[in-house]
Every structure is written in structure tokens, then in C-alpha cells.
């Protein structure tokens, strides 16, 4: 059974550019969440989607946005990149109603470096 | 503000020794999760604790949950080098779908 797939694995961007990260959840999983991991701030929640609707949003500026498609695949976009956006971005998926009982399954992440 | 605090942040221990990692949280929640992360890798689910008094064991790791005290522990028995990793606890506050993660405990088991 395929896991959560994130692409690309690594990315280097310049300040001011924008970036789009992709996440394909486990087949049948309809809830997709995004997290940012940095050495200084740890793991922080960005947003969660179900059926193309954002149900929860973390405390990030509007430069961070996301969406989910009808096949449950999700993308997140960061515009006007700043050096502080350098991080590991993790995507996680779960079965909607079983999520709390099983937790979320995480992808391998996208390592974004902003120079 | 919702907080999840872990201690210790760093733990260096000898093989064969026992130790406990503590996870305190400030929100009302009956759901507590433990994850492991190896350097440069993603998060691997270890335990899902869903009720007060829940105890789960897998190999040399045992996790427990006391929702009244808002405390979870991850106990390591007779540590081995392969357990070296960073361990995170996470809370899923009631009515939400977002994890609040602890700061993580970086464990290093010395041979």
C-alpha cells in the first residue's frame, strides 16, 4: 500500500519567489494536513483539508495557502518567500472518521531552502 | 494558549538503562499520540492513546496517558542503540483536526 507521497523532496528557491508543494495522500484517505518543521519553532500546524474544504488553519501569514482537489491530493503554496520559510514541510493524511483513533500518517516531507 | 511540553529535551543514556520521557499538555484532550523521527526522515507513528489510563507497549517502549493530570509518559526499558531518535508527543484537541506537537526529546543511546 503506497504511503503519503510528497513532491518534490528538495527545493531551493530565492527570496521573493513563490513555491508550490504537492501531497498525494494514502488511497482512501480524505483528510490532509500540512505542518512546518523548523529547528527553532518545532512542528507547527499549517492547515487541514477535507473534501476540498479547509477545516482548520494555523497561525501563519496569508502568504501560506493551500487547496485540496477532488481526488484528495493537496497542494500548498508559499508566495513572496522569506529566509525564515526554510523548513521541512510535512503532509499527513488520515481516514476521516478514524483519524483520531489511528492518528495521521506522515509523508517524507519537502525540504525547502530559501536563499 | 495551547501548550504541549516535553522533558527532557535531550537525553543521553547508556544501553541497557531505563528512562522516562514526560509530556504535559494544557488543553482538554483525551487523545495523545507519540511519534518517532529519525534524522532527515519523516514522523513514524508509535502509539495512539485514546482514554484515561490507556497503556500501550511495543518492544522496549511503553506509553501511558493520565488525562486528569494531562500527562503522558513514554518509558524506555533496557535501551538499545536503535532507539536513538527524536520522540514527539502530540495532542489532538477536542473538536479539531490539528496536532499540537511537543518540543520533542532527542534521545541518544550510547553503546
Amino acid at each position: 500500500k503506497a504511503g503519503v507521497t510528497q513532491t518534490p523532496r528538495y527545493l531551493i528557491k530565492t527570496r521573493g519567489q513563490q513555491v508550490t508543494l504537492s501531497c498525494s495522500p494514502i488511497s482512501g484517505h480524505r483528510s490532509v494536513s500540512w505542518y512546518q518543521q523548523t529547528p527553532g519553532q518545532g512542528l507547527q500546524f499549517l492547515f487541514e483539508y477535507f473534501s476540498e474544504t479547509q477545516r482548520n488553519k494555523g497561525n501563519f501569514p496569508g502568504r501560506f495557502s493551500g487547496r485540496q482537489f477532488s481526488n484528495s491530493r493537496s497542494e500548498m503554496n508559499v508566495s513572496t518567500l522569506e529566509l525564515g520559510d526554510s523548513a521541512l514541510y510535512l503532509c499527513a493524511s488520515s481516514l476521516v472518521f478514524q483519524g483520531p483513533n489511528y492518528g495521521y500518517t506522515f509523508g517524507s516531507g519537502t525540504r525547502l531552502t530559501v536563499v | 494558549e495551547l501548550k504541549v511540553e516535553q522533558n527532557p529535551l535531550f537525553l543521553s543514556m547508556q544501553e541497557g538503562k531505563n528512562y522516562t520521557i514526560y509530556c504535559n499538555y494544557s488543553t482538554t484532550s483525551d487523545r495523545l499520540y507519540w511519534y518517532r523521527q529519525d534524522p532527515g526522515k519523516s514522523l513514524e507513528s508509535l502509539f495512539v492513546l485514546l482514554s484515561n489510563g490507556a497503556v500501550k507497549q511495543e518492544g522496549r517502549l511503553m506509553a501511558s496517558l493520565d488525562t486528569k493530570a494531562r500527562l503522558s509518559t513514554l518509558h524506555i526499558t533496557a535501551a538499545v542503540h536503535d532507539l536513538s531518535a527524536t520522540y514527539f508527543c502530540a495532542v489532538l484537541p477536542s473538536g479539531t483536526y490539528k496536532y499540537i506537537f511537543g518540543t520533542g526529546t532527542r534521545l541518544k543511546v550510547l553503546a
Side-chain angles (χ1 to χ4, degrees):
Chain A
K1 187 177 182 181
V4 179
T5 303
Q6 290 187 248
T7 57
R9 289 295 309 277
Y10 302 93
L11 208 48
I12 299 176
K13 288 288 189 178
T14 304
R15 271 183 301 174
Q17 288 186 312
Q18 76 165 20
V19 66
T20 299
L21 312 181
S22 179
C23 172
S24 294
I26 291 173
S27 178
H29 285 196
R30 295 172 64 191
S31 170
V32 175
S33 302
W34 289 88
Y35 291 82
Q36 181 197 64
Q37 185 176 27
T38 60
Q41 299 298 317
L43 281 153
Q44 293 188 288
F45 171 80
L46 282 156
F47 18 68
E48 188 266 351
Y49 289 90
F50 167 65
S51 286
E52 303 176 65
T53 299
Q54 185 182 91
R55 296 192 297 186
N56 284 120
K57 189 177 191 305
N59 297 324
F60 279 81
R63 300 185 296 106
F64 290 81
S65 63
R67 58 178 176 169
Q68 186 181 35
F69 302 95
S70 58
N71 62 358
S72 294
R73 190 177 71 85
S74 177
E75 289 181 347
M76 68 162 282
N77 183 276
V78 188
S79 62
T80 319
L81 284 165
E82 300 177 359
L83 294 179
D85 297 333
S86 295
L88 179 66
Y89 289 88
L90 292 165
C91 170
S93 73
S94 80
L95 289 168
V96 175
F97 298 108
Q98 295 179 12
N101 293 333
Y102 294 96
Y104 283 85
T105 301
F106 284 81
S108 298
T110 294
R111 172 77 60 186
L112 171 65
T113 302
V114 182
V115 296
Chain B
E1 181 186 346
L2 305 178
K3 283 189 176 180
V4 181
E5 296 179 336
Q6 283 181 242
N7 68 83
L9 296 183
F10 300 97
L11 178 55
S12 181
M13 55 192 298
Q14 298 286 332
E15 278 193 328
K17 298 292 186 182
N18 304 333
Y19 209 85
T20 300
I21 299 171
Y22 297 89
C23 173
N24 289 91
Y25 56 97
S26 64
T27 184
T28 301
S29 176
D30 293 332
R31 301 170 292 181
L32 194 291
Y33 307 81
W34 285 95
Y35 284 87
R36 167 182 172 148
Q37 187 177 39
D38 291 293
K41 300 292 180 64
S42 188
L43 296 167
E44 174 191 354
S45 179
L46 292 175
F47 299 109
V48 178
L49 304 169
L50 298 176
S51 61
N52 185 43
V55 177
K56 291 198 174 178
Q57 183 163 6
E58 181 72 33
R60 301 174 187 274
L61 300 178
M62 183 174 71
S64 65
L65 177 62
D66 181 344
T67 58
K68 291 182 173 55
R70 298 184 182 176
L71 170 69
S72 180
T73 61
L74 180 66
H75 187 73
I76 302 156
T77 302
V80 293
H81 180 71
D82 285 351
L83 290 179
S84 297
T86 300
Y87 294 85
F88 292 94
C89 64
V91 171
L92 201 60
S94 301
T96 76
Y97 297 94
K98 59 179 183 180
Y99 280 138
I100 308 296
F101 278 93
T103 47
T105 296
R106 186 179 297 177
L107 171 65
K108 186 173 183 179
V109 180
L110 305 172

